[in-house]
Amino acid sequence: MLDLKDVSITFYPNTINERKALDHVSLHLDPGDFVCILGSNGAGKSTLLNAISGSLMMDEGTLILDGMNLSRQPEYVRSRYMGRLFQDPMRGTAPDMTIVENLGLAYSRGKRKGLNKAIRKKDYAFFRERLAELGLGLEDRMQQPVGLLSGGQRQALALLMATIVPPKLLLLDEHTAALDPKTATSVMDLTEKIIQEHQITTIMITHNLKQSLVYGNKTLIMNEGRIVAWLNEEEKKRMTPTQLLEMYDLV
């Protein structure tokens, strides 16, 4: 479903600050895989997601998604097939636009062009139904600007926007890290519910060891731009956070 082969990115090439951000990374995901990525700051986690999404172009390597070679395709082309959430709840939504307008833009991805055409009368009932599933009362605030929402509400909306047209691949870049523990748990539960419902292939960056064992069917650890450890579903089930921490410390 997703195949990365020998993907490399070098920052500041041919200078004294040259650094290999990704060093010949190869990765294969089957349809429906949910992979958690661990690693210290600078390990290459976000760079890997940037390389996949196209916000950073690879120096070398190939990226195949569902049989499509996207290696040299720009970010706007890849966004037709990928959804992404960031750590900052302020990203991924337009604060001055209403909730329904934000959903209209997300729903039009790869379909219709232009906001006026994106929001149709028959879409409203669908948006209201999907918002109600979040359990946050947003279905009764559809005409309010997104900028009035709390961080957790906004992140939940961003999650819905990223998946309202189920993507082939969902990229989660520490999307609960900026939330308080209760809200983070709520958003993570919503995330798992949506992923399972639509069987979305997912890659999630997290620093939470317990979270990396509870969610998903695979966990990998990155260090210095390389994948240095990989846990399959059975290995995850046998692993404790303490054991994972010991493995984490070894790299």
Side-chain angles (χ1 to χ4, degrees), residues 34-47 49 84-89 91 155 170-179 184 187-188 191 202-209 211 248:
F34 182 172
V35 179
C36 296
I37 301 181
L38 293 169
S40 58
N41 292 334
K45 305 182 301 299
S46 290
T47 302
L49 263 59
R84 187 172 184 181
L85 266 72
F86 299 88
Q87 178 176 338
D88 185 356
R91 298 181 66 176
Q155 199 68 311
L170 179 62
L171 305 175
L172 305 173
D173 195 346
E174 295 189 76
H175 71 301
T176 64
L179 306 176
V187 170
M188 197 61 236
T191 301
T202 303
I203 300 176
M204 181 177 76
I205 294 174
T206 181
H207 282 292
N208 188 314
L209 298 180
Q211 194 176 73
Y248 193 96

Side-chain angles (χ1 to χ4, degrees), residues 143-227:
Q143 299 299 336
Q144 288 190 1
V146 170
L148 297 179
L149 302 182
S150 67
Q153 291 170 330
R154 192 159 175 172
Q155 199 68 311
L157 176 62
L159 174 64
L160 179 57
M161 289 172 62
T163 57
I164 196 164
V165 178
K168 294 182 181 296
L169 181 66
L170 179 62
L171 305 175
L172 305 173
D173 195 346
E174 295 189 76
H175 71 301
T176 64
L179 306 176
D180 65 81
K182 183 178 179 180
T183 305
T185 298
S186 176
V187 170
M188 197 61 236
D189 288 343
L190 286 171
T191 301
E192 184 177 41
K193 177 178 179 293
I194 290 172
I195 289 172
Q196 293 297 325
E197 178 183 353
H198 298 286
Q199 287 298 293
I200 302 172
T201 306
T202 303
I203 300 176
M204 181 177 76
I205 294 174
T206 181
H207 282 292
N208 188 314
L209 298 180
K210 182 178 180 181
Q211 194 176 73
S212 73
L213 294 176
V214 170
Y215 297 102
N217 64 324
K218 296 176 181 177
T219 293
L220 63 87
I221 300 175
M222 294 190 68
N223 186 47
E224 296 183 349
R226 298 187 301 272
I227 296 173

Side-chain angles (χ1 to χ4, degrees), residues 120-150:
R120 300 178 298 185
K121 288 184 177 179
K122 68 177 184 179
D123 294 333
Y124 277 80
F126 174 63
F127 294 162
R128 184 177 179 84
E129 179 183 345
R130 293 303 306 273
L131 285 166
E133 292 173 1
L134 300 179
L136 299 173
L138 298 182
E139 67 275 14
D140 297 321
R141 301 173 61 183
M142 292 173 64
Q143 299 299 336
Q144 288 190 1
V146 170
L148 297 179
L149 302 182
S150 67

